Amino acid sequence: MDAEGELAPAVQSILRDARKRDTPDERVSVDARSFSDAIARTESVGKMPVVAEVKPTSPTTDGNRTDDPVELAKEMVEGGATALSVLTEPEHFGGSAENLRRVREAVGVPVLRKDFVVEEAQLDVVEADLVLLIARFVGDNLSELVTAARARGFQVLVEVHTHQELEKAIDAGADILGVNNRDLGKLEVNLDTFESVVPEVPDDMTCIAESGITTPEDARRMREAGADALLVGSAIMDGDVAENTRRLVSA
């Protein structure tokens, strides 16, 4: 793992809190909804595959969205979301495992658990269709965690920001990749990041562009660069989530 001193203070705090959280005693077993099938369904009707994120708040946004997460999720699906991402990190993002449980029961699309998993037992907090592993945070344990997540039935989204992290994801056997346009060291966003990394992504890997996508023009730019799907949080949560989702799906 990178030294915490190389991460933004807000990210350091998130990681410290993640390591302190209690873990369940029982192992989960997931019957996952296929993310690749969901992408194919969206593409078959000529729409942009968007993973819409239920994110009550974050260290990089102002304010706190207090709407019922289930109602937000339903509106996102109504707007055409291919899948949903639900924050389960409580201290910094206002998320919870219960939010994810309720959302997954209420919708028929795949649901990603968005959190900061740093050890195997944390995979057992809640059932989801996909789970996020951030290469920078788990370091040399990435391959072990990918294997452990798949053994539970999860589809695994491995998030990277650099070419070096991409190599680690490939070595770990990742088949769903997220390229985060946000630098977790400075919290700066640059869409050039995706365009720089994606040429080295294997053709058989599903590739998601994450962060900084706010307009239909951004969506088209990422799609033309090679994104199979887009993960969008703040731009959808800011205002009418159904309409914001629809605007990007129709880009």
Side-chain angles (χ1 to χ4, degrees):
M1 181 185 299
D2 294 83
E4 284 198 9
E6 298 176 4
L7 298 169
V11 180
Q12 293 180 34
S13 179
I14 290 167
L15 272 179
R16 286 195 294 270
D17 287 339
R19 296 190 187 106
K20 295 175 185 175
R21 272 187 265 161
D22 293 335
T23 54
D25 294 327
E26 295 185 7
R27 173 169 159 161
V28 299
S29 179
V30 180
D31 182 13
R33 302 163 186 164
S34 171
F35 182 52
S36 61
D37 287 352
I39 289 177
R41 285 193 296 270
T42 300
E43 292 177 331
S44 71
V45 293
K47 298 297 185 179
M48 182 87 69
V50 171
V51 181
E53 189 158 85
V54 180
K55 181 170 66 172
T57 189
S58 84
T60 59
T61 57
D62 295 326
N64 182 37
R65 190 88 186 235
T66 58
D67 312 51
D68 182 352
V70 171
E71 294 308 312
L72 291 172
K74 288 179 178 178
E75 291 175 21
M76 291 171 178
V77 173
E78 178 189 336
T82 294
L84 300 177
S85 170
V86 178
L87 265 295
T88 58
E89 199 283 337
E91 288 87 1
H92 304 267
F93 291 86
S96 72
E98 182 61 20
N99 285 350
L100 191 150
R101 284 191 193 95
R102 293 180 60 232
V103 167
R104 191 165 181 255
E105 288 176 357
V107 301
V109 301
V111 178
L112 164 71
R113 178 188 171 200
K114 183 78 172 288
D115 208 327
F116 302 85
V117 173
V118 292
E119 61 182 72
E120 180 175 344
Q122 292 174 338
L123 294 168
D124 297 316
V125 168
V126 64
E127 293 182 20
D129 302 292
L130 301 100
V131 65
L132 174 71
L133 296 176
I134 301 175
R136 183 167 185 173
F137 292 171
V138 302
D140 293 339
N141 294 327
L142 179 59
S143 181
E144 175 184 327
L145 286 172
V146 167
T147 299
R150 286 179 177 157
R152 289 161 167 80
F154 290 110
Q155 297 159 99
V156 185
L157 168 59
V158 176
E159 179 181 295
V160 306
H161 179 72
T162 66
H163 297 277
Q164 182 180 21
E165 290 170 3
L166 171 60
E167 292 177 5
K168 291 180 179 179
I170 293 170
D171 290 344
D175 56 3
I176 306 174
L177 187 85
V179 179
N180 193 348
N181 288 310
R182 188 183 303 278
D183 180 352
L184 297 177
K186 300 178 181 178
L187 295 183
E188 296 174 351
V189 176
N190 189 337
L191 297 183
D192 292 348
T193 301
F194 183 85
E195 293 169 330
S196 171
V197 172
V198 74
E200 297 181 19
V201 176
D203 291 340
D204 60 353
M205 186 178 285
T206 299
C207 193
I208 304 172
E210 304 175 2
S211 299
I213 301 159
T214 59
T215 67
E217 290 76 20
D218 293 336
R220 288 193 293 270
R221 176 179 170 182
M222 294 293 93
R223 185 72 163 165
E224 289 167 4
D228 296 299
L230 316 173
L231 193 155
V232 185
S234 298
I236 287 178
M237 289 292 290
D238 184 13
D240 184 328
V241 298
E243 181 55 35
N244 290 340
T245 304
R246 192 174 294 113
R247 182 168 52 96
L248 294 173
V249 167
S250 302

